Amino acid sequence: MASLDRATEAEGYVPTAAPGFYRPSTTLPITAHKRALIYAITTYPVTILIGETGSGKTTQLPQFLHSLGGFTKDGKIVACTQPRRVAATSVAVRVAEEMGVKVGDEVGYSIRFEDMTGPTTKIKYMTDGMLLREALVDPLLSRYSVVMVDEAHERSLATDVLLGVLKKVRRRRKDLRLVISSATLQAEEFLRFFTDGEGESEVATIVGIEGRCYPVDCLYLEEPTEDYVEKSVQTVFDIHLKEGEGDILVFLTGREEIERTVRTIAERSSELHPRAPQLLPLPLFAGLSNDAQLAVFDAAPENYRKVIVSTNIAEASVTIDGIAFVVDSGFVKLRAYNPHTGIETLTAVPISKASATQRAGRAGRTRPGKCFRLYTEKVHNIVLPDASIPEVQRSNLAPTILQLKALGIDNVASFGFVTPPPAELMVRALELLYSLGALDDYARLTKPLGVRMAELPVDPMLSRILLASVEMGCFAQILSIAAMTTVQNVFIAHNSDSNSKNVSESKKRLFAVEEGDHLTLLNVYTAFTTRGQKAAKWCHEHYLNFKALTRAVSVRGQLYRYLLRFYPDLASRNCDAATEVEIRKCLVTGYFAHAARMRPDGTFRIAGQEDGEVLWAHPTSVMFNRKVDWVVFHEVVETGKKTFIRDITSVEKKWLLEGAPEYYRVREGRGV
Ligand code: CDP
Ligand code: MG
């Protein structure tokens, strides 16, 4: 694995046994506060930690605690949770390197479908969602001596639920220590949350560690821009030609936009004078391959200026050294769930003032910097909200409620959320879980269905489908389909030019099944697993993502083992007779809530919402530009001005009515 470090920084580097170099931790701001921190954590059950990004909280604090001995003896573990998988894995790699150990030994990570920990693991980086899953089998989290909830101020849905659960666990485990890492603004709120009803002075304390940061000069647009993508490219070139040295970090909203921008910058930089300094544009987003992700951390070659074009990942979770200029589009993609339509979209919305400040700060980590905001000062002061709305107030809560019920928290309305979700979202989630059969008339978890659905590490609709597939004799196929929907970017273009995109599209048609994307994914999976040794070459030739497919194989194996626990005779059951119709009917058992109908003009509407939002088949779907009547789909995505549905399968109206009579009964007036 390549080192994440830059060998060019001025500060003293010391060689280690591990490959690469790193900045000795003694120079990080947190080191000066080591004793104060250890005192706080050993004295108070809850420590709220405030510090600038880059001060060493995530990488150093777990190591401090480990070095004390007591927190990691007798098999106890120090956990550090992250809202993002990329952060959990990349930080674990970094810390293992610092300690000169292999990832999976003393330092490990655990994210959904990927457990890189072992019997000797003492420091464990994990997603907040994974720790919640562990609470299902170990409600008091007894393996952990310390839980550090990192980036708590981001208020991801899983973080919020975890905080509520930890608050309960702490009351029953006097030895448990909690560290909540937060931005300054929210520290008091967390303090109040953990101390309510108890003497503040005994329960929790706030420790601030000053960060290393230099002044950042913020510049605004005089006139608003119509096209922030184009404007960001222009700004990059302006900086490159007019400003001094230092790399550039551009914040955009999503993968498509980022890839387009990287291409444009590369194209236009070919017009630069060949002997003048060049630009090296690099993308950074969550679905990126590991290698491409690590490239972002490497120093640019001589005579090149790095331009990292990133999603919100680079705002706080991932730290890249050497950035002197930030270009801030002012937008971020956020999940938003509409309880009336029952669809969840990922939409670009204006960032908060807190985000804007954080983004600007990325330019001042190692020297004074500049931030170019692609919006006017007026917009910043008047339009941008102070902080963004926590996810718990704008998400589909069905997975959360299912989990809380499985944790034995029956009265979800009185669960101690940091910020309670709106009643509408709760009601809608309960309704969906009821129609999926996970809850009974009294909103209690059904046995065994609801209990098993909560245990499966996929969303409730998909877990319902998996469980139905066993009864319906098509679990072999559904397992493959489920695994394929959890991995991203199965189909790839070798280069980002449009010609190779066309080749990739025509290759995809080799696997295409008229009935839709799910059966197409099944075809790809089946073809892949029969290639054996030649699979990598075969993938390359067919424009398929070898890593994604390999991952799908592993995910399928894990899902199979879950089903095997529920149905010990699974291995003796045979699915060879399952027909395509049966597989599609099985998909309806969960996806009925994502049903839509095509209109004569080729667009879709959600079942029962004739005047509802206009939906389009995603260009990557085999249903793109095709005639079809009723369909179910996996998800909704919004890009620019259109709302797309993705992973689509054609179904019959009567299956919807048969498969989910309850749903169409309870959602009276919105029936098919
Ligand atoms: O958590 P916090 O933002 O306070 O800092 P950190 O993630 O512990 O990072 C401390 C230092 O380690 C920073 O200077 C990073 O540049 C460096 N680091 C790195 O080079 N590579 C990583 N994968 C993580 C951190
Ligand atoms: Mg951190």
Side-chain angles (χ1 to χ4, degrees), residues 4-5 23 52-59 94 319 321 365:
L4 299 182
D5 309 312
R23 180 194 299 115
E52 289 287 327
T53 306
S55 46
K57 301 180 298 294
T58 313
T59 55
R94 162 76 181 197
T319 297
D321 291 331
R365 287 198 49 253

Side-chain angles (χ1 to χ4, degrees), residues 474-487:
C474 55
F475 63 87
Q477 292 85 349
I478 292 289
L479 275 168
S480 309
I481 292 171
M484 290 291 275
T485 58
T486 64
V487 300

Side-chain angles (χ1 to χ4, degrees), residues 3-6 9 11 13 21-23 28-30 49 51-62 82 86-87 89-95 97-98 125 148 150-151 181 209 212 294 297 316-321 358 362 365-366:
S3 159
L4 299 182
D5 309 312
R6 303 191 38 164
E9 268 222 357
E11 288 175 74
Y13 277 77
F21 302 87
Y22 70 87
R23 180 194 299 115
L28 287 170
I30 197 170
L49 172 61
E52 289 287 327
T53 306
S55 46
K57 301 180 298 294
T58 313
T59 55
Q60 305 308 313
L61 188 59
Q82 298 290 327
V86 210
T89 54
S90 74
V91 168
V93 170
R94 162 76 181 197
V95 172
E97 237 174 61
E98 287 187 16
Y125 291 95
M148 170 170 173
D150 212 351
E151 315 283 355
S181 132
I209 55 171
R212 173 182 45 189
L294 292 178
F297 296 97
S317 298
V318 178
T319 297
I320 304 151
D321 291 331
Q358 176 67 22
R362 315 316 284 141
R365 287 198 49 253
T366 43

Side-chain angles (χ1 to χ4, degrees), residues 386-443:
D386 288 341
S388 48
I389 302 172
E391 236 175 38
V392 71
Q393 298 193 313
R394 54 182 163 84
S395 300
N396 170 11
L397 296 180
T400 303
I401 290 186
L402 186 61
Q403 249 184 347
L404 290 177
K405 296 266 177 190
L407 285 169
I409 298 159
D410 255 325
N411 188 353
V412 286
S414 67
F415 175 71
F417 282 107
V418 184
T419 329
E424 233 180 349
L425 287 179
M426 288 280 225
V427 170
R428 177 71 207 232
L430 289 166
E431 202 174 278
L432 177 62
L433 290 172
Y434 174 75
S435 49
L436 284 167
L439 299 182
D440 65 16
D441 288 344
Y442 303 95

Side-chain angles (χ1 to χ4, degrees), residues 246-258:
D247 295 334
I248 307 175
L249 173 61
V250 184
F251 285 101
L252 294 178
T253 69
R255 176 184 174 156
E256 225 165 88
E257 217 171 71
I258 287 171

